Amino acid sequence: MFRGSVLILTAIILISEGAIVFQLVDSSRNYITTGEQEGLLLYNGGTVCHSHFNITAAHAICKVMGFEGALGWTSGQKWKIQPSFSVAIQSVRCPVSDWSSCTYISSGCNHAGDVFLTCSGTRSSFSLVDRRKYTVSGSQEFLLLYNGGTVCGDQFSNNSADAACRDMGYSGSKNWRVGTCWNAGTYRIALEDMNCTEGHWGSCSYTTSHNCEHGKDIFISCISRQDNVAMVNSETGDSVKEAGENLAIAILTLVCTVLVFLLVKKSHNCVRGKDIFISCKSRQESESKTLDSSSEQENLEKETEDKATV
């Protein structure tokens, strides 16, 4: 009972996963922060298997890391460092070049299928990090960094939030706040007075010197392009998002049904000899019987009247 329940609930947890942690490393395990340099692709510290991987997935992942897109990708066992990593995921499928559209599974591959990726363009000066100090992507709230340091909330606005998110490849900002959430004091304060007249980086003025404190650090959540696009199935006309929600409801309904069945199955002290057998009447049979009863009643009343007349 419990083993099946754990498997189903684990699947649901994987569907709701938030933070996305991709990195490129060179043959010496150094992180790659500039474009046009091939690197071993890592996801949460493990390699990515090439099964079902394509250029659309490569574009999506490069954008997550703050690059403009992908120049290309290869796979194989090329470097001595590869066996020091576990193989994290495989079967990465992306309908469009936005990571929020992608799916994947835990890997059963070996390092002969490791993905090497080359991204294009200049990586954004902005990045998002979680409390482990990993560079991440996703719609949850994370600490905003500029060139590896925190951003001060002085003069920060909704336009500033949109500008930072768009510079990282998102559609805009979902929300932001000033304050502390975890110990960010190990970072330097890199940006202050980020005043943006519009929601793009070209409209912003700022200073890299500061008289700020970490109590004014910016925490922000961004909106992916996929969140703003109503994807529609070309054959049925149904919303893909709505279909996904319906699938989630169906999965949860199935889980509940299975659990209820198992619980009910275990909660009796009965034997098979006491099983109930029953036959039911259809509505048509009930209506027919009602009509027959009415006819019998009418005949009885008529006979009574005839006798009274006699």
Side-chain angles (χ1 to χ4, degrees), residues 30-236:
N30 297 315
Y31 291 123
I32 295 173
T33 58
T34 58
E36 303 183 8
Q37 181 180 354
E38 184 182 65
L40 177 64
L41 179 61
L42 301 181
Y43 175 85
N44 284 340
T47 63
V48 177
C49 181
H50 68 171
S51 61
H52 299 105
F53 201 89
N54 59 21
I55 193 62
T56 305
H59 281 306
I61 292 171
C62 283
K63 289 177 181 178
V64 162
M65 293 187 289
F67 295 100
E68 292 179 2
L71 289 177
W73 68 278
T74 60
S75 64
Q77 188 158 359
K78 304 179 182 182
W79 297 343
K80 294 180 180 179
I81 65 169
Q82 289 174 246
S84 66
F85 299 101
S86 62
V87 183
I89 59 173
Q90 69 176 40
S91 299
V92 179
R93 303 171 190 258
C94 303
V96 295
S97 59
D98 190 305
W99 179 251
S100 61
S101 75
C102 304
T103 60
Y104 60 89
I105 60 174
S106 298
S107 180
C109 288
N110 58 47
H111 288 292
D114 286 348
V115 170
F116 288 79
L117 186 58
T118 305
C119 298
S120 63
T122 303
R123 193 170 184 174
S124 172
S125 298
F126 290 100
S127 60
L128 300 172
V129 295
D130 62 14
R131 64 175 60 248
R132 300 170 298 172
K133 299 184 179 180
Y134 288 156
T135 301
V136 294
S137 176
S139 59
Q140 297 180 10
E141 181 184 80
F142 299 111
L143 178 64
L144 178 64
L145 299 184
Y146 177 81
N147 286 335
T150 62
V151 178
C152 179
D154 290 347
Q155 298 192 43
F156 202 87
S157 66
N158 290 337
N159 283 339
S160 307
D162 284 337
C165 286
R166 286 169 181 162
D167 195 67
M168 290 185 286
Y170 295 95
S171 293
S173 63
K174 181 182 295 184
N175 52 60
W176 62 275
R177 67 180 180 86
V178 176
T180 56
C181 186
W182 58 79
N183 183 19
T186 54
Y187 294 101
R188 63 188 176 86
I189 299 174
L191 197 69
E192 188 179 7
D193 297 333
M194 183 178 166
N195 184 13
C196 303
T197 57
E198 297 178 22
H200 58 84
W201 182 238
S203 73
C204 303
S205 62
Y206 58 90
T207 178
T208 53
S209 60
H210 74 88
N211 58 0
C212 201
E213 58 187 21
H214 284 295
K216 295 182 179 180
D217 288 340
I218 295 294
F219 290 82
I220 192 170
S221 60
C222 298
I223 303 171
S224 71
R225 290 188 179 91
Q226 196 69 17
D227 291 335
N228 283 343
V229 176
M231 294 182 65
V232 175
N233 186 310
S234 59
E235 295 181 358
T236 65

Side-chain angles (χ1 to χ4, degrees), residues 3-17 106 255:
R3 182 173 59 186
S5 301
V6 169
L7 288 173
I8 295 171
L9 294 175
T10 300
I12 295 172
I13 291 169
L14 288 174
I15 291 171
S16 63
E17 181 183 30
S106 298
V255 171

